[in-house]
Amino acid sequence: MQLTGITNQKIISKQTDEIKTQQKEKSFTEILNVAKTPVERNIDDMIGFGSIDGGRQLATAFYAEESTEENPIVILTKGPKGEELARIAINDIDTTFATKTEMFALCSYLDDKGKTDKSAFGSFETLRAVEEMSTHNGFMKTTSDGVRADSVEEKFNWQELTRKVAELVLSSKNMIQYLKVKNLNNAMSQY
């Protein structure tokens, strides 16, 4: 009897290990797709849109129903009629150690509240320019061939990156870009 119990336990353990391995291999988006269901939202309520994953998918930002002025909460979705990707409490964001997903929510919120120099595509596009310039100028880690993986869940010190890029564009006498980056840096310094 004990021998049979041990054998069955090993089989169950092996099956459990295989399931865990399969789950680890699933991407962050695949896991979210299983967990979330589409919710139709009014496009007039959208506070931001953009690509947080290198252009592969459009994300939109809306306020959550439980959001308040004191505790704003932003929901990110796959397009205005797509499933929820993330629910982010703005006051919990630390811009010295934040993901691109968190920064998209924060930029959408800051734009909606008029706290940034909202360009045609919002301050998140300015942040994406900061990211590209940071990669190009060696402020962000890259592979040996100068490429940086576009991970939406990797955390960066966005305060430091925007400060460095602001200095860089100021030294090149690009005042329009400098003012956009400096304004964004000032707006997000509260978080």
Side-chain angles (χ1 to χ4, degrees):
M1 291 292 257
Q2 283 184 328
L3 186 58
T4 305
I6 291 171
T7 305
N8 288 342
Q9 200 171 26
K10 284 183 180 179
I11 291 170
I12 291 169
S13 177
K14 184 177 178 183
Q15 289 171 341
T16 303
D17 289 343
E18 288 173 3
I19 290 168
K20 286 179 183 177
T21 302
Q22 289 171 354
Q23 287 175 340
K24 284 180 185 177
E25 291 173 356
K26 285 185 179 179
S27 72
F28 177 72
T29 304
E30 287 174 319
I31 291 167
L32 283 175
N33 286 342
V34 171
K36 307 296 180 182
T37 55
V39 175
E40 192 162 331
R41 302 187 190 287
N42 185 340
I43 198 149
D44 294 334
D45 296 334
M46 183 174 62
I47 62 170
F49 71 94
S51 173
I52 58 176
D53 64 354
R56 293 181 296 272
Q57 174 178 293
L58 175 69
T60 52
F62 297 89
Y63 287 113
E65 287 181 23
E66 66 272 19
S67 182
T68 64
E69 286 294 320
E70 298 79 31
N71 187 28
I73 299 171
V74 173
I75 295 173
L76 304 181
T77 65
K78 278 185 170 182
K81 295 182 180 181
E83 60 265 10
E84 187 176 309
L85 297 172
R87 183 175 290 257
I88 298 171
I90 297 300
N91 294 336
D92 292 344
I93 297 172
D94 175 3
T95 58
T96 65
F97 191 67
T99 65
K100 198 184 318 185
T101 304
E102 291 170 317
M103 293 306 296
F104 176 68
L106 179 62
C107 286
S108 298
Y109 168 76
L110 292 172
D111 290 348
D112 184 61
K113 295 300 179 187
K115 296 181 179 184
T116 54
D117 178 25
K118 188 176 180 181
S119 61
F121 294 104
S123 62
F124 187 69
E125 284 305 308
T126 301
L127 191 71
R128 285 183 47 154
V130 165
E131 180 185 21
E132 288 201 23
M133 292 177 82
S134 295
T135 300
H136 179 74
N137 288 285
F139 305 149
M140 295 176 114
K141 294 177 190 171
T142 59
T143 61
S144 60
D145 58 354
V147 176
R148 193 180 67 72
D150 191 19
S151 169
V152 295
E153 295 309 310
E154 189 174 359
K155 294 191 178 246
F156 296 104
N157 183 340
W158 295 98
Q159 282 287 325
E160 181 72 11
L161 293 173
T162 54
R163 185 190 60 74
K164 285 180 177 182
V165 169
E167 290 172 3
L168 184 68
V169 293
L170 179 62
S171 70
S172 68
K173 311 256 187 279
N174 185 341
M175 292 307 290
I176 293 172
Q177 189 66 28
Y178 167 75
L179 291 173
K180 285 182 180 183
V181 174
K182 186 67 176 162
N183 179 269
L184 178 59
N185 181 270
N186 290 340
M188 68 181 180
S189 66
Q190 301 170 29
Y191 300 93

